[in-house]
Amino acid sequence: MKEADNNPKTQKRSVVFPIETLEQIDKLAIKKNVYASEVIREFVDKGLAVNGYEENIDIITDIIHQEIEASIKSLANRLAGMINRLTIISAAAYYANITIISDLIDKDRYSSFEKIEKAARKRALD
């Protein structure tokens, strides 16, 4: 205990606790085989660590928000690219089907590609 008094980085403080609290501190000190002052210092250090965390929670929240936003943006760009490719493939299949159908249908009834497409769109919407 004399060490702490002579250490220039420490300072002595008097603190008043309720008797029940002191009894709990003494029991814990006996259980841990340390001085009550060490138990008190440990609790103060832990309390200050929690307080420091609470003060930094806004910074931590902002960092997490930025990371999530970047991930979502990356995934959104990837999805947009996939949708673009699917649209191209779908359009190609659509026109390939119309071309095949134009070879199989009655040429007198449907004389042009546009008429075939218009009929196909009408049926699709129906």
Side-chain angles (χ1 to χ4, degrees), residues 63-118:
I63 291 169
I64 291 170
H65 185 263
Q66 289 172 1
E67 290 296 319
I68 290 172
E69 202 172 274
S71 294
I72 289 173
K73 190 173 185 177
S74 172
L75 289 172
N77 288 337
R78 187 172 176 200
L79 281 172
M82 291 171 72
I83 289 170
N84 187 39
R85 285 190 290 277
L86 286 173
T87 301
I88 292 168
I89 291 168
S90 177
Y94 175 76
Y95 287 108
N97 283 335
I98 289 177
T99 302
I100 292 168
I101 291 169
S102 69
D103 290 340
L104 301 174
I105 63 167
D106 182 4
K107 301 289 185 194
D108 295 329
R109 185 170 175 196
Y110 300 104
S111 59
S112 72
F113 183 79
E114 288 79 17
K115 286 183 181 179
I116 296 168
E117 182 185 15
K118 186 176 178 180

Side-chain angles (χ1 to χ4, degrees), residues 51-70:
N51 187 49
Y53 171 78
E54 289 173 353
E55 288 177 0
N56 292 324
I57 194 72
D58 289 337
I59 295 168
I60 294 167
T61 302
D62 285 343
I63 291 169
I64 291 170
H65 185 263
Q66 289 172 1
E67 290 296 319
I68 290 172
E69 202 172 274

